[in-house]
Amino acid sequence: MSVRRLAQEQPAGFAFTPENQAWAEKEIAKYPQGRQASAVIALLWRAQKQNDYWLPRAAIEQVARMLDMPFIRALEVATFYTMFNLEPVGRHYVQLCGTTPCMLRGAEEIKQVCRDRIGAERHVTADGEFSWNEVECLGACCNAPMVQINDDYYEDLTRENFAALLDDLSAGRPVKVGSQIGRFGSEPVGGKLTALTSFYGEDGRGAPPANENTGVETAAAHAAEEEAHIKALLANLPKDATPQQKADAVGARPPGLEKARDGAADDLQRIKGVGPVNERNLHSLGVYHFDQIAGWSREQIRWVGTYLSFPGRIDREQWLAQAETIAHGGKGVKDEADA
Ligand code: FES
């Protein structure tokens, strides 16, 4: 950490306003007798806020006196924590996060805007409106790059929207706190979250490995959910609906092959849950290979499961995960059991 010194020019004195004095006394009273010094950070922070976001020597002395601690102890705290400013800052005080996630997302560009519009780090503009300095992570990395201006966070910054933000602040126009690109929280940029809306993701991927026992309970729970969902979708179909009509009502048929590639179908019975009957049925749908099954989407899983009259079972038995493992040269659950 760089050496932090008190400002050269100091005001003659400092006193808490009556309101802040009352607040400080209440704060000090929270601590047991003899431990009043524990309130040092809270009091220094209040003093800084009262004094336009910077701590003069007189304020540190005053806090030390109130807490009955040596001045040097209070000074140590004030100079150690970078949240305490030891020299005047602008009315709009910009703390720019330059830590790795923000840096990777463009903090350098934001820094350049600060240099161009405000000047060197810690310089206060002639009208007293702005100053900036770089700080470590402010805990809003998901919406990087970001800055804190006084008490508010401004996130998802670009060179353009940050420059516009400074213009608005300078002109006294209202500004939008938080994301500058319309994100409500930390959801993915460009759309709502889709990865966690289904157990394996919308494309059926992300299932636990077939030989990982710990996934079974969760797979069973998901299969039960799927079953209930499909049952609800089928509720309005006539009782004599064909398997194809039922399957079409809940999903989409996966594309099939006319025949096995190179004339050799994979041994689909290596997937636990696929016996001779199901293998034959899969062949009738043009499904001959593990990679075909591994690539099914959620809609296609629903279609096949319903067509084969066992909705939910593909999830419960984790066919996709097994197929993916075997397609990449690994062992399926059945292989493990047979070994
Ligand atoms: S790295 Fe910038 S907020 Fe965390």
PDB file of all heavy atoms in Angstrom, residues 180-196:
ATOM      1  N   GLN A 180     -25.929   0.612 -15.978  1.00  0.00           N
ATOM      2  CA  GLN A 180     -26.154   1.639 -16.998  1.00  0.00           C
ATOM      3  C   GLN A 180     -26.606   1.034 -18.325  1.00  0.00           C
ATOM      4  O   GLN A 180     -26.759   1.738 -19.320  1.00  0.00           O
ATOM      5  CB  GLN A 180     -24.873   2.464 -17.210  1.00  0.00           C
ATOM      6  CG  GLN A 180     -24.392   3.156 -15.941  1.00  0.00           C
ATOM      7  CD  GLN A 180     -25.404   4.151 -15.374  1.00  0.00           C
ATOM      8  OE1 GLN A 180     -25.776   5.104 -16.050  1.00  0.00           O
ATOM      9  NE2 GLN A 180     -25.857   3.929 -14.148  1.00  0.00           N
ATOM     10  N   ILE A 181     -26.791  -0.302 -18.330  1.00  0.00           N
ATOM     11  CA  ILE A 181     -27.259  -0.925 -19.579  1.00  0.00           C
ATOM     12  C   ILE A 181     -28.594  -1.626 -19.362  1.00  0.00           C
ATOM     13  O   ILE A 181     -28.985  -2.497 -20.126  1.00  0.00           O
ATOM     14  CB  ILE A 181     -26.227  -1.910 -20.153  1.00  0.00           C
ATOM     15  CG1 ILE A 181     -25.922  -3.025 -19.149  1.00  0.00           C
ATOM     16  CG2 ILE A 181     -24.966  -1.191 -20.575  1.00  0.00           C
ATOM     17  CD1 ILE A 181     -25.135  -4.179 -19.756  1.00  0.00           C
ATOM     18  N   GLY A 182     -29.253  -1.295 -18.257  1.00  0.00           N
ATOM     19  CA  GLY A 182     -30.605  -1.804 -18.052  1.00  0.00           C
ATOM     20  C   GLY A 182     -30.701  -3.128 -17.338  1.00  0.00           C
ATOM     21  O   GLY A 182     -31.786  -3.700 -17.252  1.00  0.00           O
ATOM     22  N   ARG A 183     -29.564  -3.623 -16.812  1.00  0.00           N
ATOM     23  CA  ARG A 183     -29.682  -4.864 -16.047  1.00  0.00           C
ATOM     24  C   ARG A 183     -30.383  -4.566 -14.738  1.00  0.00           C
ATOM     25  O   ARG A 183     -30.120  -3.543 -14.101  1.00  0.00           O
ATOM     26  CB  ARG A 183     -28.304  -5.452 -15.765  1.00  0.00           C
ATOM     27  CG  ARG A 183     -27.786  -6.246 -16.918  1.00  0.00           C
ATOM     28  CD  ARG A 183     -26.856  -7.326 -16.479  1.00  0.00           C
ATOM     29  NE  ARG A 183     -25.497  -6.856 -16.274  1.00  0.00           N
ATOM     30  CZ  ARG A 183     -24.520  -7.645 -15.900  1.00  0.00           C
ATOM     31  NH1 ARG A 183     -24.744  -8.910 -15.675  1.00  0.00           N
ATOM     32  NH2 ARG A 183     -23.307  -7.165 -15.756  1.00  0.00           N
ATOM     33  N   PHE A 184     -31.254  -5.472 -14.334  1.00  0.00           N
ATOM     34  CA  PHE A 184     -31.982  -5.290 -13.082  1.00  0.00           C
ATOM     35  C   PHE A 184     -31.106  -5.695 -11.904  1.00  0.00           C
ATOM     36  O   PHE A 184     -31.039  -5.032 -10.886  1.00  0.00           O
ATOM     37  CB  PHE A 184     -33.265  -6.117 -13.110  1.00  0.00           C
ATOM     38  CG  PHE A 184     -34.041  -6.029 -11.828  1.00  0.00           C
ATOM     39  CD1 PHE A 184     -34.718  -4.864 -11.493  1.00  0.00           C
ATOM     40  CD2 PHE A 184     -34.070  -7.088 -10.938  1.00  0.00           C
ATOM     41  CE1 PHE A 184     -35.410  -4.774 -10.298  1.00  0.00           C
ATOM     42  CE2 PHE A 184     -34.766  -7.002  -9.750  1.00  0.00           C
ATOM     43  CZ  PHE A 184     -35.432  -5.844  -9.427  1.00  0.00           C
ATOM     44  N   GLY A 185     -30.410  -6.806 -12.053  1.00  0.00           N
ATOM     45  CA  GLY A 185     -29.516  -7.288 -10.999  1.00  0.00           C
ATOM     46  C   GLY A 185     -28.215  -7.711 -11.641  1.00  0.00           C
ATOM     47  O   GLY A 185     -27.592  -6.937 -12.360  1.00  0.00           O
ATOM     48  N   SER A 186     -27.845  -8.962 -11.421  1.00  0.00           N
ATOM     49  CA  SER A 186     -26.619  -9.460 -12.026  1.00  0.00           C
ATOM     50  C   SER A 186     -26.932 -10.572 -13.017  1.00  0.00           C
ATOM     51  O   SER A 186     -26.139 -11.481 -13.218  1.00  0.00           O
ATOM     52  CB  SER A 186     -25.677  -9.976 -10.932  1.00  0.00           C
ATOM     53  OG  SER A 186     -25.330  -8.923 -10.078  1.00  0.00           O
ATOM     54  N   GLU A 187     -28.132 -10.521 -13.612  1.00  0.00           N
ATOM     55  CA  GLU A 187     -28.478 -11.526 -14.596  1.00  0.00           C
ATOM     56  C   GLU A 187     -27.572 -11.382 -15.814  1.00  0.00           C
ATOM     57  O   GLU A 187     -26.976 -10.330 -16.017  1.00  0.00           O
ATOM     58  CB  GLU A 187     -29.957 -11.395 -15.010  1.00  0.00           C
ATOM     59  CG  GLU A 187     -30.298 -10.187 -15.852  1.00  0.00           C
ATOM     60  CD  GLU A 187     -30.582  -8.937 -15.013  1.00  0.00           C
ATOM     61  OE1 GLU A 187     -30.163  -8.890 -13.847  1.00  0.00           O
ATOM     62  OE2 GLU A 187     -31.195  -8.010 -15.556  1.00  0.00           O
ATOM     63  N   PRO A 188     -27.475 -12.443 -16.661  1.00  0.00           N
ATOM     64  CA  PRO A 188     -26.560 -12.364 -17.786  1.00  0.00           C
ATOM     65  C   PRO A 188     -26.870 -11.181 -18.704  1.00  0.00           C
ATOM     66  O   PRO A 188     -28.032 -10.844 -18.908  1.00  0.00           O
ATOM     67  CB  PRO A 188     -26.798 -13.675 -18.539  1.00  0.00           C
ATOM     68  CG  PRO A 188     -27.418 -14.580 -17.545  1.00  0.00           C
ATOM     69  CD  PRO A 188     -28.192 -13.714 -16.598  1.00  0.00           C
ATOM     70  N   VAL A 189     -25.823 -10.588 -19.239  1.00  0.00           N
ATOM     71  CA  VAL A 189     -26.012  -9.513 -20.207  1.00  0.00           C
ATOM     72  C   VAL A 189     -26.672 -10.120 -21.442  1.00  0.00           C
ATOM     73  O   VAL A 189     -26.298 -11.182 -21.891  1.00  0.00           O
ATOM     74  CB  VAL A 189     -24.652  -8.906 -20.608  1.00  0.00           C
ATOM     75  CG1 VAL A 189     -24.826  -7.879 -21.718  1.00  0.00           C
ATOM     76  CG2 VAL A 189     -23.982  -8.281 -19.403  1.00  0.00           C
ATOM     77  N   GLY A 190     -27.675  -9.457 -21.961  1.00  0.00           N
ATOM     78  CA  GLY A 190     -28.266  -9.908 -23.222  1.00  0.00           C
ATOM     79  C   GLY A 190     -29.438 -10.843 -23.066  1.00  0.00           C
ATOM     80  O   GLY A 190     -29.917 -11.424 -24.030  1.00  0.00           O
ATOM     81  N   GLY A 191     -29.954 -11.043 -21.869  1.00  0.00           N
ATOM     82  CA  GLY A 191     -31.134 -11.887 -21.784  1.00  0.00           C
ATOM     83  C   GLY A 191     -31.285 -12.517 -20.434  1.00  0.00           C
ATOM     84  O   GLY A 191     -30.364 -12.523 -19.634  1.00  0.00           O
ATOM     85  N   LYS A 192     -32.467 -13.061 -20.208  1.00  0.00           N
ATOM     86  CA  LYS A 192     -32.692 -13.649 -18.895  1.00  0.00           C
ATOM     87  C   LYS A 192     -31.982 -14.980 -18.786  1.00  0.00           C
ATOM     88  O   LYS A 192     -31.624 -15.592 -19.788  1.00  0.00           O
ATOM     89  CB  LYS A 192     -34.187 -13.791 -18.633  1.00  0.00           C
ATOM     90  CG  LYS A 192     -34.890 -14.870 -19.387  1.00  0.00           C
ATOM     91  CD  LYS A 192     -36.344 -14.854 -18.995  1.00  0.00           C
ATOM     92  CE  LYS A 192     -37.113 -15.772 -19.899  1.00  0.00           C
ATOM     93  NZ  LYS A 192     -37.493 -17.022 -19.419  1.00  0.00           N
ATOM     94  N   LEU A 193     -31.826 -15.389 -17.563  1.00  0.00           N
ATOM     95  CA  LEU A 193     -31.126 -16.629 -17.279  1.00  0.00           C
ATOM     96  C   LEU A 193     -31.872 -17.815 -17.860  1.00  0.00           C
ATOM     97  O   LEU A 193     -33.074 -17.935 -17.674  1.00  0.00           O
ATOM     98  CB  LEU A 193     -31.041 -16.776 -15.766  1.00  0.00           C
ATOM     99  CG  LEU A 193     -30.238 -17.936 -15.228  1.00  0.00           C
ATOM    100  CD1 LEU A 193     -28.766 -17.730 -15.535  1.00  0.00           C
ATOM    101  CD2 LEU A 193     -30.453 -18.058 -13.742  1.00  0.00           C
ATOM    102  N   THR A 194     -31.159 -18.647 -18.616  1.00  0.00           N
ATOM    103  CA  THR A 194     -31.813 -19.843 -19.134  1.00  0.00           C
ATOM    104  C   THR A 194     -31.127 -21.100 -18.624  1.00  0.00           C
ATOM    105  O   THR A 194     -31.703 -22.163 -18.615  1.00  0.00           O
ATOM    106  CB  THR A 194     -31.784 -19.876 -20.670  1.00  0.00           C
ATOM    107  OG1 THR A 194     -30.431 -19.775 -21.090  1.00  0.00           O
ATOM    108  CG2 THR A 194     -32.593 -18.759 -21.264  1.00  0.00           C
ATOM    109  N   ALA A 195     -29.892 -20.956 -18.172  1.00  0.00           N
ATOM    110  CA  ALA A 195     -29.108 -22.143 -17.827  1.00  0.00           C
ATOM    111  C   ALA A 195     -29.705 -22.943 -16.675  1.00  0.00           C
ATOM    112  O   ALA A 195     -29.524 -24.136 -16.603  1.00  0.00           O
ATOM    113  CB  ALA A 195     -27.685 -21.734 -17.475  1.00  0.00           C
ATOM    114  N   LEU A 196     -30.428 -22.285 -15.773  1.00  0.00           N
ATOM    115  CA  LEU A 196     -30.899 -23.004 -14.600  1.00  0.00           C
ATOM    116  C   LEU A 196     -32.410 -23.192 -14.591  1.00  0.00           C
ATOM    117  O   LEU A 196     -32.989 -23.526 -13.580  1.00  0.00           O
ATOM    118  CB  LEU A 196     -30.470 -22.251 -13.333  1.00  0.00           C
ATOM    119  CG  LEU A 196     -28.976 -22.084 -13.161  1.00  0.00           C
ATOM    120  CD1 LEU A 196     -28.671 -21.300 -11.898  1.00  0.00           C
ATOM    121  CD2 LEU A 196     -28.274 -23.428 -13.112  1.00  0.00           C
TER     122      LEU A 196
END
